[in-house]
């Protein structure tokens, strides 16, 4: 099959429904004629495979100066990297770095070999477990650039993806700050100490001066690095190999130095006074005095502790009592010094570095150590703090997955390269700990800045052939790592910004014409500057530990969730994973966060939580097929199975609503206030299903159904109605409503209450929701044991923005059908609209009732129900049926009979309706007027029959109808109907008297007659019952108790 076009270069996805598919394609041959009508949406397998083969995933925002699509294609098809170059070496370079050279010896000396081994093992285990989870995710389909952010967001959804992506971004940015601080520390401490801008003579002020130097130099370097990154990333990438070579050479130099110590240890003598280590900055000779030509002379060391060079000078008490000794700083691997370095030696800030098992005589307590040439500890040390400082040295495991777009076979290379790199670096770290402990004296290990060895880098003293190999190597490697952080972090931010899930960072998605993220680079440099201003490498390290640990924790969570859910799409090529390993990795990450620093951990979680909620609130309307959505579905299924299918306990009962909406010809909602009332009644709690019926055949009404659903959902969003929308297409309106009442909901989550609007124009037979439909709906809700709420004059009900400052909600409790009437005002008053309304309950007393006792009983009942309401008992005495009632009933029956006997055309009915529109008012003021008063129905649907009209109709119609008309005017009303009308008129009078000014009136809704012949009369009774009231809610209970006095 030949397909026109250029090989789908423009497509983002090679799968179904691709928008770019050429519409004018011709299909040669007749083999596939059966499928030709679907070719536009479902491509042939051969063309699909062709697209998949050419599918590319250039790194987001890392397009380097290519002019057009063709040159991009050429570059992508160029040589790609394998496992060693593409994954193993970048991971190695990112993992080994500043901490190894500047802090590992100090960690070994402070924590001891055993505890250091535990620290390193924990951190390496954490990254290894994370790498296993990451390998599973990375091999589950194509991972475009964006690396860890892409993996987490597509596995756990946009909220987690955005939160963790930004945390990873902050971690990478602070890592840049840490590398820059490391670079300056190497420069000012070990290469050119004279370059310091802030210089001090007093030793005690030295740390503060050093921090200020860090801030000044750090700011300069960050500006310089930002310019380099801005000018051209390709130069940074070309230099990456040079920086990596520096790291590898430095490590080889360390191992070579260790081997050399076995037979020829280097000469690095340390000067001790008693058991205290001395800083050899201001003296050369390690002795109190020297003998030359039989003359004893004091040394420069003497002058540092005494007030003059004379032998009888006043000296420091500790100096006088203790001897000065000189020992070898690096006794060698065969010396047995390992036994001394096994255990920890934690200390307070400002204490001296002391050698264990060295004889010492304590000086007087008032002797001051400040200003004396001791080696002091600059910070307080303890196990958990060392974990925070060390952890950044194992980060960098994502380096391979971040460049997945440049690999020949990412699904093979990422797991192999990453796990090999972690194994290699873990071996290097663990072996270095043992070797440092076995080769170097403990006091040197604890001497963070090498003051006891003439200001040399401590690792450098061990290296062969010269300490400068390590100094220069570490300087360039930290420089390179800083540059790479400043290169990688802006791209990560750009990837998040371009996804559009965090609205306020979308500006950072823009950049130069070639895709370079300029704005993101500026923000990254700004955040980096915050780390530089902190200025202490030991303070910055725990901050980035938090962000990286959080990122790794969510990678493990993503793998565990996907594995446990057994999502059909979860088919990783990497098979050596298990959810228990992911769960263990996640637990270890969480534990390490709180071990490092519990308050930093809480702050990092708070930041991630805020971003999560922000994305949930503002941004993410993305569907990425993520695991959290799968988890939600699983949890929902589990919960639905747990919820009993039977009715809930009375204490848990709340109205679960099915709201029946009417739509107009444009599929717009006719009565939006019904949804306003729903949200006021529900306040976001429980189940709400908004249903509507379209008349017709589903195949013909598909597009209208979708449009209707969109309109209803849009209105639900505006009215803040939380629930589900269900549109049913049915051949007739009546059956559609029946389907909804029967089948809406799922399992235990079914509606128990139906809410609908009163059909205002029920007498117009062309109205599709006619009175027959309404009465049948009432009967069906009763049969289904569901409550029914009918809102009359719904368009007068308040919107969600209105507020009633005063007024009453009046409940007319005539019959008890489960307590719905009591519960509804309580629920309504939870909402702001009705909050200031007072609740009044009226009940009706008959002739034989004791109204005083009824009132007391009702008050006690409300007290037990914990409801505040004003109670009133209204007495309704028996009296004669008025002529008005009698004639109203007669007219109602005449009208029903007349409509049955003749078919009025639409025009005639409209003329009829207009004829005596205003007679309703007259009939109320003069009950015994004439026999042809209008029935009490609203607006223009009133109908009446006068003698004149009858004569006109008689001439128009055939003679065969004459006897029927005579019967109508000679008929007498049914006595049962007269009694019902009497009740309706009497009750209406009582309700109007008491509740005409109420904001809302709730009334018991009488049931429809068992004999279906009187259905239209039933509508008339309800109309009379509620006449003259603004807002009425007719309530019909489900027949079960919904409110209880028990706790």
């Amino acid at each position: 099959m030949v397909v026109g076009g250029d090989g789908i270069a423009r497509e983002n996805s090679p799968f179904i429904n691709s928008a770019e598919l050429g519409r004018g394609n011709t299909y040669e041959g007749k083999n596939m004629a059966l499928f030709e009508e679907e070719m536009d949406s479902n491509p042939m397998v051969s063309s699909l495979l062709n697209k998949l083969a050419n599918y590319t995933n250039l790194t987001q925002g890392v397009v380097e100066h290519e002019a057009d699509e063709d040159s991009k294609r050429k570059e992508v098809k160029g040589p790609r990297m394998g496992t060693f170059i593409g994954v193993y070496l970048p991971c190695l370079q990112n993992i080994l770095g500043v901490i190894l050279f500047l802090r590992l010896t100090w960690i070994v000396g402070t924590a001891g070999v055993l505890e250091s081994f535990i620290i390193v093992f924990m951190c390496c285990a954490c990254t290894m477990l994370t790498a296993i989870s990451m390998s599973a995710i990375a091999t589950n389909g194509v991972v475009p650039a964006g690396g860890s952010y892409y993996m987490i967001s597509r596995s756990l959804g946009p909220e987690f993806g955005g939160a963790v992506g930004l945390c990873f971004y902050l971690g990478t940015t602070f890592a840049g700050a840490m590398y820059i601080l490391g670079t300056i520390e190497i420069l000012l401490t070990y290469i050119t100490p004279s370059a310091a801008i802030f210089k001090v003579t007093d030793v005690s002020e030295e740390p503060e001066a050093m921090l200020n130097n860090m801030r000044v130099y750090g700011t300069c370097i960050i500006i310089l690095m930002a310019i380099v990154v801005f000018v051209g990333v390709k130069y940074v990438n070309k230099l990456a190999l040079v920086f990596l070579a520096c790291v590898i050479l430095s490590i080889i130099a360390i191992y070579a130095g260790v081997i050399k110590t076995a037979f020829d240890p280097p000469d690095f003598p340390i000067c001790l006074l008693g058991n205290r280590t001395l800083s050899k900055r201001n003296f050369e000779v390690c002795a109190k005095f020297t003998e030359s030509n039989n003359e004893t002379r004091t040394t420069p060391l003497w002058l540092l502790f005494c007030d003059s060079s004379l032998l009888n000078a006043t000296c420091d008490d500790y100096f006088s009592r203790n001897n000065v000794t000189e020992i070898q700083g690096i006794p060698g691997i065969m010396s047995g010094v390992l036994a001394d370095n096994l255990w920890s030696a934690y200390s307070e800030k400002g204490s001296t570095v002391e050698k264990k098992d060295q004889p010492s005589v304590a000086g007087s307590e008032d002797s001051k150590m400040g200003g004396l040439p001791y080696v002091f500890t600059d910070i307080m040390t303890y196990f958990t703090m060392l974990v925070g400082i060390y952890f950044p040295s194992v980060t960098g495991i994502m380096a391979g997955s971040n460049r997945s777009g440049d690999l020949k076979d990412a699904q093979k290379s990422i797991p192999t390269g990453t796990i090999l790199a972690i194994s290699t670096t873990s071996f290097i770290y663990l072996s270095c700990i043992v070797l440092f402990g076995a080769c170097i004296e403990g006091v040197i290990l604890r001497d963070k800045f090498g003051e006891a060895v003439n200001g040399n880098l401590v690792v450098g003293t061990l290296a062969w052939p010269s300490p400068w190999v390590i100094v220069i190597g570490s300087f360039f490697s930290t420089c390179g790592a800083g540059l790479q952080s400043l290169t990688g972090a802006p791209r990560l931010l750009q990837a998040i910004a371009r996804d559009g899930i965090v609205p306020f960072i979308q500006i950072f998605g823009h950049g130069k014409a070639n895709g370079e993220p300029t704005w993101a680079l500026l923000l990254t440099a700004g955040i980096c500057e915050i780390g530089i201003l902190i200025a202490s490498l030991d303070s910055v390290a725990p901050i980035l530990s938090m962000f990286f640990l959080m990122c790794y924790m969510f990678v493990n969570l993503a793998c565990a969730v996907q594995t446990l859910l057994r999502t059909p799409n979860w088919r990783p090529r990497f098979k050596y994973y298990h959810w228990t390993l992911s769960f263990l990795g996640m637990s270890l990450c969480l534990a390490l966060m709180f071990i490092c620093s519990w308050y930093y951990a809480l702050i990092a979680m708070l930041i991630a939580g805020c971003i999560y909620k922000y994305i949930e609130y503002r941004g993410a309307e993305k569907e990425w097929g993520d695991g959290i959505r799968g988890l939600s579905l699983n949890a929902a299924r589990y919960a639905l199975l747990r919820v009993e299918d039977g009715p809930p306990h009375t204490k848990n009962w709340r109205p679960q609503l099915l709201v029946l909406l009417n739509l107009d010809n444009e599929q717009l909602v006719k009565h939006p206030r019904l949804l306003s009332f729903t949200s006021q009644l529900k306040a976001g709690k429980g189940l709400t299903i908004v249903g509507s019926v379209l008349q017709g055949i589903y195949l013909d009404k598909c597009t209208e159904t979708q449009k209707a659903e969109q309109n209803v959902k849009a209105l639900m969003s505006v009215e803040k109605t939380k629930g589900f929308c269900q549109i049913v297409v049915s051949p007739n309106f009546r059956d559609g409503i029946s389907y909804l009442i029967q089948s809406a909901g799922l399992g235990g989550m079914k509606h128990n209450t139906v809410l609908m609007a009163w059909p205002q124009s029920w007498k117009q037979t062309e109205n599709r929701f006619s009175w027959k439909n309404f009465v049948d709906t009432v009967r069906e809700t009763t049969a289904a044991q569901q409550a029914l709420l009918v809102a009359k004059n719904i368009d007068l009900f308040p919107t969600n923005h209105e507020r009633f400052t005063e007024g009453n909600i009046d409940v007319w409790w005539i019959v008890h059908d489960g307590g719905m009437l009591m519960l509804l005002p309580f629920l309504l008053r939870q909402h702001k609209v009705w909050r200031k309304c007072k609740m009044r309950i009226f009940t009706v007393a008959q002739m034989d009732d004791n109204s005083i006792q009824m009132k007391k009983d009702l008050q006690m009942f409300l007290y037990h129900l914990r409801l505040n309401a004003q109670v009133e008992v209204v007495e309704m005495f028996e009296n004669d049926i008025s002529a008005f009632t009698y004639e109203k009933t007669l007219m109602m029956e005449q009208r029903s009979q007349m409509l049955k006997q003749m078919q009025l055309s639409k025009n005639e009915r409209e003329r009829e309706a207009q004829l005596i529109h205003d007679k309703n008012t007259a009939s109320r003021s003069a009950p015994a007027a004439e026999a042809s008063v209008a029935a009490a129905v609203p607006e223009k649907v009133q109908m009446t029959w006068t003698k004149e009209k009858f004569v006109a109709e008689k001439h128009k119609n055939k003679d065969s109808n004459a006897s029927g008309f005579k019967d109508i005017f000679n008929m007498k009303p049914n006595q049962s109907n007269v009694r019902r009308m009497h009740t309706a008129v009497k009750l209406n009078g009582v309700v109007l008297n008491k509740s005409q000014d109420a904001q809302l009136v709730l009334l018991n809704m009488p049931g429809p007659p068992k004999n279906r012949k009187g259905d239209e009369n039933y509508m008339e009774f309800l109309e009379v019952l509620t006449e003259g009231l603004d807002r009425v809610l007719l309530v019909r209970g489900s027949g079960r108790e919904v409110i209880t006095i028990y706790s």
Side-chain angles (χ1 to χ4, degrees), residues 992-1024:
L992 271 178
N993 182 35
K994 296 284 186 183
S995 302
Q996 191 155 18
D997 298 328
Q999 303 290 11
L1000 179 65
V1001 176
L1002 284 85
L1003 269 169
N1004 278 119
M1005 182 177 179
K1010 290 177 181 174
N1011 180 5
R1012 294 193 173 216
K1013 289 178 182 175
D1015 283 359
E1016 64 270 38
N1017 299 340
Y1018 171 67
M1019 298 295 286
E1020 195 80 59
F1021 295 142
L1022 292 180
E1023 195 74 71
V1024 171

Side-chain angles (χ1 to χ4, degrees), residues 808-826:
N808 299 307
I809 299 176
D810 286 359
V811 176
W812 284 84
W813 192 24
I814 297 154
V815 292
H816 179 64
D817 56 359
M820 275 280 281
L821 281 167
M822 308 291 170
L823 190 61
L824 291 173
F826 169 76

Side-chain angles (χ1 to χ4, degrees), residues 583-598:
F583 191 76
L584 182 64
M586 186 178 77
S587 309
L588 193 53
C589 287
L590 191 63
L592 282 172
M593 281 176 75
F594 282 94
I595 286 171
C596 291
S597 169
W598 64 267

Side-chain angles (χ1 to χ4, degrees), residues 751-794:
H751 61 277
N752 55 26
T753 306
V754 176
L755 171 64
M756 60 197 295
W758 172 263
Q760 297 285 18
S761 50
W762 60 270
K763 292 185 184 177
Q764 294 178 1
T765 50
E766 77 275 6
N767 176 24
R768 59 183 178 166
F769 197 82
S770 65
W771 55 269
K772 285 183 181 173
N773 290 340
F774 178 81
V775 179
D776 283 342
T777 304
V778 176
R779 284 198 173 100
E780 284 191 345
T781 54
T782 307
Q785 295 184 319
Q786 294 170 5
L788 176 67
L789 309 177
V790 179
K792 193 158 185 273
N793 301 327
I794 186 63

